[in-house]
Amino acid sequence: MNRKNFKNNFLHTVGSTHSGINSVLDKGMPLDIYKSYLLSFGSYIQLIKLGWTTWALFSDLELQKKINLAKKMRIPVCLGGTLFEIAYTNGLWDEFIDFIVSNELDSLELASGFCVNFDAIPDLIKCAKNHKLSVIVEIGFKDEKKDAALSVKERMYQIRTAFMTGADYVVLEAREQGYGYSVYKSEESKNEDLISAIQSEFPLENIIFEAPLRSNQIYLVNRLGSDVNMGNI
């Protein structure tokens, strides 16, 4: 048996790999590493998020090369919710949208995690959709204590409102630490309450669970199946 046959038979025997969305967080990878990463794993990636304000560390040429490499592999690229919140609170929303459109990005992430009130999000979703952008809305707070205090009822209201006003996807905040946020709280009953509420009302193909840790990913696959969407990978 040659190597190719063994690989195919192995995958067939153990079952298919994760089939949901893999949203990768680019924390500022140098261009050459980014290129190698996409060449090796691009077929498993459905979205790349340029985290925080790391895109500003690169020259315009380097940034465009990053975007073009992803486009060549048909992987959407978006800027992170932190950048949106900083831009919006500093009166730079119009410039932010212009930057996205001029760089031919087709997605953006909106958030109300630390300095934007969620009440502003619905109108911003509509504005982004008018620019024919795919809209991702992140639900949850950056601060762990504030996120813990966000009830299932309020979180569900925000998810529902985001979808009703045109969001394509909702992301559940888990930052880079995983535990302590959304469905990774120490009190397991709270995690189950949120997952059950989401499952009862929304199609899971439109929900992305941030899952930066291997243990987060295992938990989600075991709980929701291999087609669960995961972010911050």
Side-chain angles (χ1 to χ4, degrees):
M1 181 183 295
N2 62 36
R3 285 188 299 173
K4 185 175 181 180
N5 285 341
F6 170 71
K7 179 180 179 182
N8 290 339
N9 288 336
F10 173 77
L11 292 175
H12 176 74
T13 300
V14 301
S16 61
T17 57
H18 174 240
S19 57
I21 290 172
N22 290 314
S23 175
V24 169
L25 176 63
D26 176 5
K27 299 179 182 181
M29 274 188 273
L31 183 58
D32 286 344
I33 296 175
Y34 176 91
K35 181 178 181 180
S36 296
Y37 190 88
L38 291 192
L39 287 174
S40 294
F41 306 116
S43 60
Y44 301 103
I45 301 171
Q46 287 73 45
L47 178 67
I48 296 171
K49 181 166 72 173
L50 304 181
W52 311 292
T53 59
T54 56
W55 59 273
L57 299 174
F58 298 90
S59 68
D60 290 346
L61 179 60
E62 286 179 310
L63 177 61
Q64 198 56 55
K65 284 182 177 180
K66 276 195 162 189
I67 294 169
N68 289 342
L69 282 167
K71 278 189 173 183
K72 190 175 181 180
M73 302 190 73
R74 298 182 179 179
I75 303 172
V77 176
C78 78
L79 302 174
T82 298
L83 173 62
F84 152 71
E85 292 200 55
I86 294 170
Y88 181 77
T89 55
N90 283 278
L92 297 173
W93 167 253
D94 290 338
E95 288 90 338
F96 176 67
I97 286 288
D98 288 344
F99 181 82
I100 290 171
V101 172
S102 64
N103 280 281
E104 299 181 350
L105 300 174
D106 54 12
S107 304
L108 90 164
E109 183 177 271
L110 304 175
S112 54
F114 67 100
C115 63
V116 172
N117 191 297
F118 182 79
D119 291 343
I121 298 298
D123 285 341
L124 298 176
I125 293 172
K126 294 173 184 176
C127 178
K129 296 303 288 185
N130 287 338
H131 286 85
K132 303 187 185 306
L133 295 170
S134 177
V135 179
I136 303 162
V137 177
E138 188 173 63
I139 303 297
F141 289 107
K142 301 293 185 188
D143 182 270
E144 186 177 342
K145 289 183 179 179
K146 286 185 177 180
D147 194 74
L150 188 62
S151 67
V152 170
K153 181 179 180 180
E154 177 60 23
R155 213 178 294 258
M156 290 294 290
Y157 164 76
Q158 292 186 10
I159 296 171
R160 190 179 304 115
T161 301
F163 283 133
M164 286 177 63
T165 49
D168 297 280
Y169 294 97
V170 159
V171 175
L172 294 185
E173 173 73 80
R175 306 214 69 188
E176 294 70 56
Q177 72 185 58
Y179 286 109
Y181 291 86
S182 68
V183 297
Y184 313 118
K185 293 182 173 62
S186 57
E187 191 174 336
E188 292 186 9
S189 62
K190 290 185 177 180
N191 302 331
E192 189 59 35
D193 288 347
L194 178 55
I195 288 177
S196 296
I198 290 171
Q199 283 184 301
S200 69
E201 188 168 344
F202 307 110
L204 287 182
E205 58 261 32
N206 298 114
I207 305 288
I208 300 174
F209 297 86
E210 289 190 342
L213 304 179
R214 180 174 177 270
S215 54
N216 300 153
Q217 297 159 19
I218 292 171
Y219 167 73
L220 289 174
V221 170
N222 286 338
R223 176 62 179 80
L224 297 172
S226 63
D227 58 349
V228 63
N229 300 326
M230 296 189 283
N232 278 14
I233 295 175

